[in-house]
Amino acid sequence: MASSRERERFDEDLHIRPLRDGKVASTFSFTTLLQDASPRDPLSLAYDDESQHYTLFPLALGQILRTYAITELHLALNAGKWRYESWGFPEEPGVGTGAELWAWMGDGASTTIDERWQGLRNALAGLFCASLGSMDDQRTTSPFLTFTPEGSLPNATLPYRLRHATLPSEHVCTENLTPFLKLLPCKSLSGLARLLNPHRLFDADWHGMSVHVTWREGQGVEVRLIFQTVIDPIRNSGGKRRDWSFESLFGRVVENRCPVATTSRVRIQLPSEETYAILPDPTSNADNIATYDTSVGQDPLDVSMRWPEEYAFQYQITALDLPEIPLTPLTLQRTLIGSSQAQGQLSIVIQNTLSSQIQTIYLETMPWLVQLYIHTLQIHCNGVQRNDLISNLSYTPSVPHARPAILQSVLTLPPKSTLRLTFDITKSFLRYTEHPPDAQRGWDLPPAVFVPIISVGNRSDVLPRLYTPTLLVDLATPDFSMPYNVIILSCTLMTLIFGSIFNLLTRKFVIVDLKQGKEQKGS
Amino acid sequence: MLFPTYLSFLCLTSWILTTVATNASQDGKVREFFGRHDGTSGHTNNWAVLVCASRYWFNYRHMANALGMYRTVKRLGIPDSNIILMLADDVACNTRNKFPGSVYANSGRNLDLYGDNIEVDYRGYEVTVENFIRVLTGRMDASVPRSKRLLTDDRSNIFVYMTGHGGNEFLKFQDNEEISAFDIADAFEQMWQKKRYNEIFFMIDTCQANTMYSQFYSPNILATGSSEIGENSYSYENDNDIGVAVIDSYTHYILQFMEGINKTSQTTMHDLFASYDPSKIHSHPGVRADLFHRTLDKALITDFFGGVSQAEIFPPEDAYPGMQSPSVKPGDTMIDSRIPSTNGSQLSSPTTQGRMFTTLEMDSSWPISLRKWGSMTLVGMLVAWVSLKS
C-alpha cells in the first residue's frame, strides 16, 4: 500500500454530561484516521517494513504497531472506582481500575504471539511511562468471548489471537499524561487538548485515559485517544452549588483552535427536567444536546452551566421503598468473605433491575495466588438455590507461579431478581522473594467483567461491558527479618556442634619430653 | 653489493622520518585545537540518573529531592531522553496529597516540581537494585524500551544522584533491599571498562552518605555526600498542609545554590563545594576528588548538571596560513575570534566548521604523497636487488 495515497484526518470532540449526584462527566475524544491504510500483515514480519510517513498520525504509536503487526489495540489507565449506579454507562467501556491492555494479533508470523505481546507491552511501557512490562504470563489471559474485536480483522484466512492483561495496582499521574498529549497533532497547546490540565484532572473523583487502535474496513486505521473524568464541582464550590464552567472544572478555557482538526466540537448533555442556564449560546441544539463548534467564533470558549433556581444541591436520599431509577440493567457487587489468611469465599451479587430476563457473560480472571474451587460454586436467586442459572462454563485453572485462572460463563438472570454466586477460595502462601516491597498492603485482584445481553424477540442487544471494582486480598506475610536471624543462629549451632565433635574425634593430647629435645639440639 | 643496501637503508630512514614528522605535525594541530582550555572535560553529551529509593508517603521529601534535581538538570539543558528518573512511589497523584499533580520542595509552595511535562522512567515496583545496576551497566533484556536505557558513550558526563534512607556503606531500596557501596563501585568499574562514561559526578543524600563513595576505584569520578559516618542527614522543613517534611537540608542548599546557575554560568564545582555550610545543613558534607583528573576549580557545574557545549569559531585563513580552501568565497563574513569564546555560544555558521575540516585534510597532503612515493620506490628497489641477487 503506497503511503503517498494515504490521507489523514483528525477530529476532536468533548462530551460533557452532568450526572445526577451533582458531578460532571467529561469525555475528551481525539480521533486520527489514517485513510486507506491497513495493519501490517504478520507474515511480513520476517522482512523489513516499508517506510511509513505520517503527518497527523502519531509516529511513536505507529512504529510500535508496525513492529509487532498489531491489528487492534486497547490500553486503558484508570484511577478510581466507576459508580455505575450514580453515573450510568461511561462513554468508553474500559473503566477497570489500574492498567488494562488487550490486543488482537494475527498468528502465523515468524515470531510467536507471546513474543510480540512481550515486545508490545514493553514498548508501550516505555512510551507511556507505565510499568506495563510487569504484565507477564502471570497476568495474561485470552478471554476472546468477552473482549471481541471492536473493528474488523483484515485477513480472514489468518487465525487471530487475543492477549489481555490487567495491572490493578497501577498509578496514573502526569507522567502518563505527558506522552498521551505528545501523540496529538496539536499537543496541549491549542484545541480541546488545552483543557487537559493535570492539576485538575488528577484531582477528579475518577479519571482514565485510553488509547484505542482499530481497523475499520473501507476507512482505514483509526487511533482514538480518550480521556474521561468525573469531576465534582460541589466539592470546590463554597456554597455547595453544582454550577460548573470550563474554568471551574479544568482551570483553563479553549483559547485557540487546532488548525489541523477537521471537526472540533463540544457537546453538552442538557438536563431534561430542571431549570438551567447555559452560556454562551450553542451553535446548535438538538435532542437535548447543545453543540459548540469551536471553528466558529474567535473568542476563547468557556462554556458554563448554572442552576439559578437552586440554592444548594440536594443529594437524593433514597427511601428503601422508592429507589432511584437504575441507570444500568445490572447492579454488581463483588466481595471476599472470610477473615482467615488461608481460605475464604468469593461472593458476587448481581441484581437485575429490568422486568425482563437478561443473560450476561461473566468473566473472572483470578491470579494464581487465589485458587478458585469451581465445585463449590453455588448460586442463590432471591434466596433459593438455582444452580441451573449458569451455563456455557469455560474454566482454565491456574498454574501456580505461571498462569492465572480464567472463568467465562453465561448467567441467566430472571426479571427483578438478585443472584448471589459464591465460590470457595484458598489463599497461597508465597515464597519469601515473591512478596512486593509493601507486602502488608496485600495484592490487588483484577475486576470481573460482565457483558449483559438483552434479547427482545429474535434480536439480541449486546450492551457495553461492566467492570466490578478491584479487590484487595491479604495474604500471609512472613517476618522478613527472620531469614537473617535463622541463618546466623543455625550456622552458629552447626559450627559449635561440628567443631566439638571433630575435636573429640581427631584431637589427640600427646606429652612431649623437653629434655630429649635439648640433648638433640646440643649435639 | 653494498650500494643497494645503503640506498635501501637511506630510503627507509627518510620514510620513517617523514612519517613521524607528519604525525607529529598533525598531532600538534589536534592537540592545540582540543587542548585550548587546559582542564576541559572533553565530553560531548550529558546524562543524568536520578534515583529516589524510598517508598511511602512519609518519604515525600526524598521524592521532592529527586524531582528538584530533575527540574535543575532539565532547566540547564539535559533533555528528557537523557534523564533516567526513578521514583519508588507516586506522591503527586497519591490520594493523601492535598495538591494533586504537584510536588513542592518548600513550605511556601512556591514552585511545583512536578509540572505539566514530566517523564518518569522507572516507577513504583520497578525501582530495584537490579534495575539500577542494569541501567548503569547497560546489561538489559532486548525488550527494554529506549527510554529506560542509559545510552552513554565514552564522551558522556553522567550525573548520578541518589537519595533515600541509608547507612554505613548501604542504601535502602523501598525498605526491602539494599545496595552497598561495593555494588556501586563495581558498577562504575564495569562502566569504565566498557567505556560508558567520560566523567561521573556522584551525589548522594542519605544518612552517613559519605561512606557510599568510599569504595570507588575507577578513574574520573567526582563524588560528594551529605553526611559523614555516624551522622544523620536531616530534613529541612515541614509543610503543615501536606503534613510531612518536604525537602532534605543538604539537597535544599544545593538547589538554592543551583538557582543562581544558568546555562552560560562559569561557576565551578569548587564554588559548589565551598558553599557547603555544615552548621546550616546540620551534618558534614564530604567531597571525594582523588579519582578526578582535573582540578575542581576548572570543572564547571554545567559540565555535569547541564547540557551545554563549548564551541569556538575561528576563520580558516588565520589558522592555516598560506592555505586557501576553494570553498571560501570572497564576500563571506568571517568571525575573527582569536580569543576562544567559552560562554557556551552555539556555532553560528555550520559552513565554517566544514571549511576547517577541508583545510586540515589538504594541509597534510604533501607529506602523505611523499611517503607514498618513497615507500613505493623502496619496495621496487628491494625487489630489484633480490632478483639481481638470485
Side-chain angles (χ1 to χ4, degrees), chain B residues 328-375:
Chain B
V328 174
K329 296 175 194 62
D332 284 340
T333 49
M334 301 285 205
I335 297 160
D336 184 22
S337 51
R338 289 286 201 159
I339 302 130
S341 59
T342 60
N343 49 3
S345 50
Q346 304 296 319
L347 276 175
S348 59
S349 59
T351 50
T352 316
Q353 180 136 39
R355 265 180 240 136
M356 269 196 307
F357 282 122
T358 48
T359 49
L360 259 173
E361 274 167 30
M362 290 171 65
D363 195 18
S364 47
S365 62
W366 68 263
I368 287 179
S369 53
L370 178 69
R371 205 168 83 190
K372 195 169 60 177
W373 288 112
S375 39

Side-chain angles (χ1 to χ4, degrees), chain A residues 118 122-123 125-126 129-131 169-176 178 182 198-199 202-203 252 436-438, chain B residues 55-56 90 92-93 100-102 112 114-120 123 125-126 141 143 145 147-148 174 176:
Chain A
Q118 188 195 9
N122 280 306
C129 296
S131 26
S169 55
E170 182 73 4
H171 291 252
V172 186
C173 203
T174 315
E175 65 263 20
N176 306 112
T178 307
K182 287 182 182 166
H199 301 276
F202 297 114
D203 193 19
R252 293 186 188 163
D438 52 352
Chain B
R55 164 176 280 274
Y56 304 120
D90 175 24
C93 296
S102 310
D112 173 23
Y114 222 64
D116 292 346
N117 189 4
I118 180 171
E119 286 182 19
V120 180
R123 57 200 286 238
Y125 297 137
E126 293 177 327
D141 193 50
S143 59
S147 60
K148 289 185 167 172
Q174 302 207 45
N176 189 34

Side-chain angles (χ1 to χ4, degrees), chain A residues 64 120-133 179, chain B residues 119-121 143-148:
Chain A
I64 294 175
L120 173 69
R121 24 170 237 269
N122 280 306
L124 288 175
L127 178 60
F128 286 102
C129 296
S131 26
L132 304 178
Chain B
E119 286 182 19
V120 180
D121 303 298
S143 59
V144 172
R146 232 186 127 91
S147 60
K148 289 185 167 172

Side-chain angles (χ1 to χ4, degrees), chain B residues 248-261:
Chain B
D248 276 335
S249 271
Y250 174 72
T251 307
H252 170 83
Y253 286 106
I254 299 266
L255 292 174
Q256 213 175 43
F257 183 87
M258 288 298 168
E259 286 299 315
I261 310 283

Side-chain angles (χ1 to χ4, degrees), chain B residues 11-12 43 99 107 113 118 134 140 148 165-166 215 330 364 380:
Chain B
C11 289
L12 191 65
H43 71 283
F99 309 99
S107 63
L113 296 174
I118 180 171
R134 281 186 189 278
M140 297 174 147
K148 289 185 167 172
H165 289 288
Q215 301 299 327
S364 47

